[in-house]
Amino acid sequence: MRISLEPMDDPEVTQKVPLGEQIRRITQEKGSFANLTEEGLAEDIQSPVETEEKPAEEGLEEGPRQKLIAAVRSALNESALSLDFVSLLISGLRPQSGASSMSPALKRQVPIGTLGCDTIKKEQTSINKTRPGAGWKLIALENASKHLRGSSVRLQGEAEKEARFWNELLQTVMGGEVVVKTNRGKMKGLNVKYGFEESGSTYFGTGTGKLIRGADGSVVFKTKSTQEKKIVRVRSFSGDGEEVGCGFIGAEAQTELQTARNYLFEEELFFLLQQEARTLGAYRVLLESDTIVCESFEGRLEIDFVEESMALGPKDQLAQLLCALLHLILCYYYSENLKKQQSTPEPLESTKKSDQPRIYSILRPLLSHMHQAKLAARAVRLAEMILPNSKIDSTRSIADETVSDILFTPPESHVRITAETEINVLVRSPLSPGAVFIARCDGFKAELYDLTELEMWLKGKALAS
Amino acid sequence: MSNAQRAQTFLQHIDQATERLLSRQLALVRIAAEQEKDTPTMAVETAEIEASATSIVRAVEDLLVVTRSLKEAWILGQIRQDLPEPTEDEIQNRKDALKQVFEAISKQSG
């Protein structure tokens, strides 16, 4: 931009531009004052440039000139502001260099280094970018549908199994089994009590099994794997030691639960029989290496505990009956115990009940019947021998008021011998206390304790008549 | 826990499971219908779809557990009925049978 040397018309402008500034401008344009000559100046004044300028200057009206000046000022101002802005920005990173170009006004207003900057990238969204996302979504939906379909099949199967399990369990419970739920320990889950605990059994076997849902939803019964498949077997031997036959009651039942219960029952029965047999030594009941041996009518009976598969041989009716009776008697005890437990409890007593395990009379009733029948038969034979011409008749009586009477009341036989005088002999069971034979004749009564005494007494009566 | 509380818990479980079942199903359908989204959102939705499916299955399983515990409470919670008392005739039959057995045993002594 060229600056005219002519004095400005505007007095404000001429006043405003100081002399020093004017000199500086002149040296910039025309060179040093040292080279200034009159001719040069005259040339300048009359040069064609000026004549060229003249019309231009003349062309400019007063208004546009002012406008130009205002524009230049505004530009100056703007650039100063920009400089300040850039300086302040730089001062954020390099305070020294920034501060050097900042205007004093700015420094006063704003602390150095208070403006920072960063690049912000604006993300561009386009349809192309959503495509992989849509694919993922499709895959995910497909997976989800597969998962749901698979799960629905599985859950349907599960529901069917569940229904079957609970149906069977309901039947089990309705069948009278005691099913309980345990939350802790090894037996966690559903358990069934198949033992005879409630019936007063004190046997060590817990009699508790687990009920598990099988693969097909059925109720699977699991008990301790060590349960022996043994049963109580009664064998009868003839007088010369030959085995006549045996009797036993099979334990296999329809369901595993019942089978397990049967085996447990057999185990308990034999345990109780052994316990009882120890107290029956006086009646020639022996315990020989886990076999109970007792006298029968002619020979002997052996009760042992064997594997069910081993219990073979011809069946003997007597042995079978005896075996059945053993089972029945224990059942009777258990049912009585159960009744007692379910009834109203007795009032508390100060006397303590003994902790001794109760010994059940299971063999006793059998022995009682067998021995009594044997003695009655012998008594009849004896009478026939001693009083050959008499009429002898024997009647056997069994108390039959209740089941308990039949089982536990010892039988009695009345032997009536009719000769010149009538002799009545009451044959009692040798297992009940007191005399075995009570003989009556002519109002006299004699209590006799064995067959020899009866023989002597009968002989005496025979002689007397 | 009293019975009322138990019933309350059962109802709560049922409600929760049903609510979850429905809301998850709704979410699945809603997500499946939307398309114009940016990639990260789509990725999140992808995960949400699978999570929803799993959640639906879980809710159904929860319902199964409820029915299971209901059955359990019902079957194990009832009072056991005593076995029926034997009738007079039955007792008489038993007595007769027992007597016969004893007679048979004593007859062997002959």
Side-chain angles (χ1 to χ4, degrees), chain A residues 172-179 193 198 338 342, chain B residues 75-83:
Chain A
T172 314
V173 172
M174 287 301 169
E177 304 293 349
V178 182
V179 179
K193 290 194 169 183
E198 287 186 14
L338 189 63
Q342 287 172 346
Chain B
I75 291 179
L76 300 188
Q78 54 192 334
I79 295 170
R80 212 151 54 92
Q81 286 180 342
D82 287 337
L83 296 176

Coordinates of all heavy atoms in Angstrom, one line a residue, chain A residues 172-179 193 198 338 342, chain B residues 75-83:
Chain A
T172 N -46.3 -94.2 46.3 CA -45.5 -94.8 47.4 C -46.0 -94.3 48.7 O -46.1 -95.1 49.7 CB -44.0 -94.4 47.2 OG1 -43.6 -94.6 45.9 CG2 -43.1 -95.2 48.1
V173 N -46.2 -93.0 48.8 CA -46.7 -92.4 50.1 C -48.1 -93.0 50.4 O -48.3 -93.3 51.6 CB -46.7 -90.9 50.0 CG1 -47.3 -90.3 51.2 CG2 -45.3 -90.4 49.8
M174 N -48.9 -93.1 49.4 CA -50.3 -93.6 49.7 C -50.2 -95.0 50.1 O -51.1 -95.5 50.7 CB -51.1 -93.4 48.4 CG -51.6 -92.0 48.1 SD -52.5 -91.3 49.5 CE -52.6 -89.6 49.2
G175 N -49.2 -95.7 49.6 CA -49.0 -97.1 50.0 C -48.6 -97.3 51.5 O -48.4 -98.4 51.9
G176 N -48.4 -96.2 52.1 CA -48.1 -96.3 53.6 C -46.7 -96.1 53.9 O -46.3 -96.3 55.1
E177 N -45.8 -95.8 52.9 CA -44.4 -95.6 53.2 C -44.2 -94.2 53.9 O -44.9 -93.3 53.6 CB -43.6 -95.7 52.0 CG -43.8 -96.9 51.1 CD -43.2 -98.2 51.8 OE1 -42.6 -98.0 52.9 OE2 -43.5 -99.3 51.4
V178 N -43.2 -94.2 54.7 CA -42.8 -92.9 55.4 C -41.7 -92.3 54.5 O -40.6 -92.7 54.5 CB -42.3 -93.2 56.8 CG1 -42.0 -91.8 57.5 CG2 -43.3 -93.9 57.6
V179 N -42.1 -91.2 53.9 CA -41.1 -90.5 53.0 C -40.8 -89.1 53.7 O -41.7 -88.4 54.1 CB -41.6 -90.2 51.6 CG1 -40.6 -89.5 50.8 CG2 -42.0 -91.5 51.0
K193 N -38.3 -94.4 54.9 CA -38.0 -95.2 56.0 C -38.6 -96.5 55.8 O -39.8 -96.7 56.0 CB -38.5 -94.5 57.3 CG -37.7 -93.3 57.6 CD -38.0 -92.8 59.0 CE -37.0 -91.8 59.4 NZ -37.1 -91.3 60.8
E198 N -40.3 -97.4 63.9 CA -41.6 -97.0 64.5 C -42.2 -98.1 65.2 O -43.1 -97.9 66.1 CB -42.5 -96.3 63.5 CG -42.1 -95.0 63.0 CD -43.1 -94.3 62.1 OE1 -44.2 -94.8 62.1 OE2 -42.7 -93.4 61.5
L338 N -46.4 -100.8 67.4 CA -46.8 -99.6 66.7 C -48.1 -99.0 67.3 O -48.2 -97.8 67.4 CB -47.0 -100.0 65.2 CG -47.3 -98.9 64.2 CD1 -46.1 -98.0 64.1 CD2 -47.6 -99.5 62.9
Q342 N -48.7 -95.3 68.8 CA -49.6 -94.4 68.3 C -50.7 -94.0 69.3 O -51.4 -93.0 69.1 CB -50.3 -95.0 67.0 CG -49.3 -95.0 65.9 CD -49.9 -95.7 64.7 OE1 -50.8 -96.4 64.8 NE2 -49.2 -95.5 63.5
Chain B
I75 N -47.2 -83.5 48.8 CA -47.1 -85.0 49.1 C -46.5 -85.2 50.4 O -47.0 -86.1 51.2 CB -46.3 -85.6 47.9 CG1 -47.1 -85.6 46.6 CG2 -46.0 -87.0 48.3 CD1 -46.4 -86.1 45.5
L76 N -45.5 -84.5 50.8 CA -44.8 -84.8 52.1 C -45.5 -84.2 53.2 O -45.3 -84.5 54.4 CB -43.4 -84.4 52.0 CG -42.5 -85.1 50.9 CD1 -41.1 -84.7 51.1 CD2 -42.7 -86.6 51.0
G77 N -46.4 -83.2 52.9 CA -46.9 -82.4 54.0 C -48.2 -83.0 54.6 O -48.7 -82.5 55.6
Q78 N -48.8 -84.0 53.9 CA -50.0 -84.5 54.4 C -49.9 -85.5 55.5 O -48.9 -86.2 55.7 CB -50.9 -85.1 53.3 CG -50.1 -86.1 52.5 CD -50.9 -86.5 51.2 OE1 -52.1 -86.3 51.2 NE2 -50.2 -87.0 50.3
I79 N -50.9 -85.5 56.3 CA -50.9 -86.5 57.5 C -51.2 -87.9 57.0 O -52.1 -88.1 56.2 CB -51.9 -86.0 58.5 CG1 -51.6 -84.7 59.1 CG2 -52.0 -87.1 59.6 CD1 -52.6 -84.1 59.9
R80 N -50.3 -88.8 57.4 CA -50.4 -90.1 57.0 C -51.7 -90.8 57.6 O -52.0 -90.6 58.7 CB -49.2 -90.9 57.4 CG -48.8 -92.0 56.4 CD -47.3 -92.2 56.5 NE -46.9 -92.4 57.8 CZ -46.8 -93.7 58.3 NH1 -47.1 -94.7 57.6 NH2 -46.4 -93.9 59.5
Q81 N -52.4 -91.5 56.7 CA -53.5 -92.2 57.3 C -53.1 -93.6 57.8 O -52.2 -94.2 57.3 CB -54.5 -92.4 56.1 CG -55.2 -91.1 55.8 CD -56.2 -91.3 54.7 OE1 -56.2 -92.3 54.0 NE2 -57.1 -90.3 54.6
D82 N -53.7 -93.9 58.9 CA -53.4 -95.2 59.5 C -53.9 -96.3 58.7 O -54.9 -96.1 57.9 CB -54.1 -95.3 60.9 CG -53.3 -94.4 61.9 OD1 -52.1 -94.1 61.6 OD2 -53.9 -94.0 62.9
L83 N -53.3 -97.4 58.7 CA -53.8 -98.5 58.0 C -55.1 -98.9 58.6 O -55.3 -98.8 59.8 CB -52.8 -99.7 58.1 CG -51.4 -99.4 57.5 CD1 -50.5 -100.5 57.7 CD2 -51.6 -99.2 56.0

